[in-house]
Amino acid sequence: MTARHHIAVIALIAAVAACASAPTSSELDQQALAAMKASFRDQGIAKVDRLDQDLGQQACSAATPPSADTVKRIEADALATIRWPSGGRYLGDWREGEKLAQNGRGMTWTDASASPKDNGASCYNCHQIDKKEISFGTIGPSLWNYGKLRGVKDVADPSAAPIVQYTWGKLWNSKAYAACSNMPRFGHKGLLDEDQLRHLMALLLDPKSPVNQ
């Protein structure tokens, strides 16, 4: 084959390639999802369905931020999932809350159970909890003096109701107040039970808690 023939063949291949339609964005997304699912397997309590995304996860992991309307929908849907504490009892024992806040265990494939009783809250991973801590996360704001700074002196006082309810809702499903929040949705996803959430609430809001000293 002469050099001229080589050039003609290359030109023909280029022309055919140019005529082929490129995959759409949606098709590329589906291909990427299929590749991810093919790279993982169920192991222990960790199942492949953890790769399935709801609206908030899809919108907040996209290449561009979600629209204002999508943000409103995500937050409204999340707010509707919140289950308020039975009997209107918001606070537990801050001592138990401290243990949960400093416990990072749970929900890995090596854990024997996904039950809330086997999970910690991992608060220290993202927040400062105590001024004495020398190592803490900074993804989230400091929780030091959380209740004190917000004027909560008695959680039963009607004036404290807005911050008490907000805090419970934030722990239950953080996306109700920030569509793209990175905070675990403890109640909504069954990571912690009501009593555990009450203990965390006490850590944050009880005037006797070391957080508020």
Side-chain angles (χ1 to χ4, degrees):
M1 185 180 289
T2 65
R4 186 170 60 184
H5 287 146
H6 277 294
I7 293 172
V9 170
I10 292 172
L12 178 61
I13 292 172
V16 171
C19 291
S21 60
T24 65
S25 176
S26 177
E27 289 171 339
L28 288 173
D29 287 343
Q30 291 302 313
Q31 290 173 18
L33 179 60
M36 284 197 304
K37 288 194 172 184
S39 300
F40 290 87
R41 67 180 186 277
D42 290 351
Q43 187 154 348
I45 65 169
K47 309 299 183 184
V48 175
D49 62 9
R50 290 186 179 186
L51 295 175
D52 297 336
Q53 294 183 313
D54 59 25
L55 172 64
Q57 292 166 325
Q58 290 173 7
C60 295
S61 60
T64 56
S67 67
D69 286 344
T70 300
V71 166
K72 288 180 181 178
R73 180 182 168 191
I74 293 168
E75 293 178 352
D77 288 350
L79 188 62
T81 71
I82 295 173
R83 288 213 319 258
W84 303 103
S86 55
R89 187 166 62 89
Y90 283 92
L91 260 61
D93 184 340
W94 65 260
R95 297 168 188 82
E96 294 300 317
E98 175 74 16
K99 293 176 187 176
L100 283 166
Q102 301 294 350
N103 182 352
R105 292 305 306 272
M107 301 306 292
T108 69
W109 67 269
T110 57
D111 290 301
S113 168
S115 172
K117 67 180 178 59
D118 296 317
N119 296 333
S122 299
C123 302
Y124 71 93
N125 274 328
C126 299
H127 304 276
Q128 179 188 38
I129 302 170
D130 192 305
K131 283 292 186 181
K132 297 188 292 295
E133 291 175 330
I134 59 174
S135 177
F136 50 86
T138 56
I139 294 174
S142 172
L143 298 177
W144 174 246
N145 278 183
Y146 179 89
K148 188 175 183 178
L149 290 172
R150 290 160 177 78
V152 178
K153 297 178 181 178
D154 178 1
V155 294
D157 188 324
S159 66
I163 190 61
V164 171
Q165 292 170 3
Y166 163 80
T167 305
W168 180 272
K170 187 77 172 178
L171 289 170
W172 189 275
N173 190 339
S174 59
K175 289 185 179 293
Y177 304 98
C180 293
S181 172
N182 291 317
M183 185 170 165
R185 294 175 282 178
F186 293 113
H188 179 57
K189 289 298 184 179
L191 304 176
L192 299 177
D193 61 28
E194 268 199 23
D195 283 336
Q196 290 169 316
L197 291 179
R198 287 188 182 96
H199 296 327
L200 289 178
M201 289 284 289
L203 178 67
L204 295 171
L205 295 170
D206 190 333
K208 299 185 183 69
S209 165
V211 164
N212 293 311
Q213 301 309 307

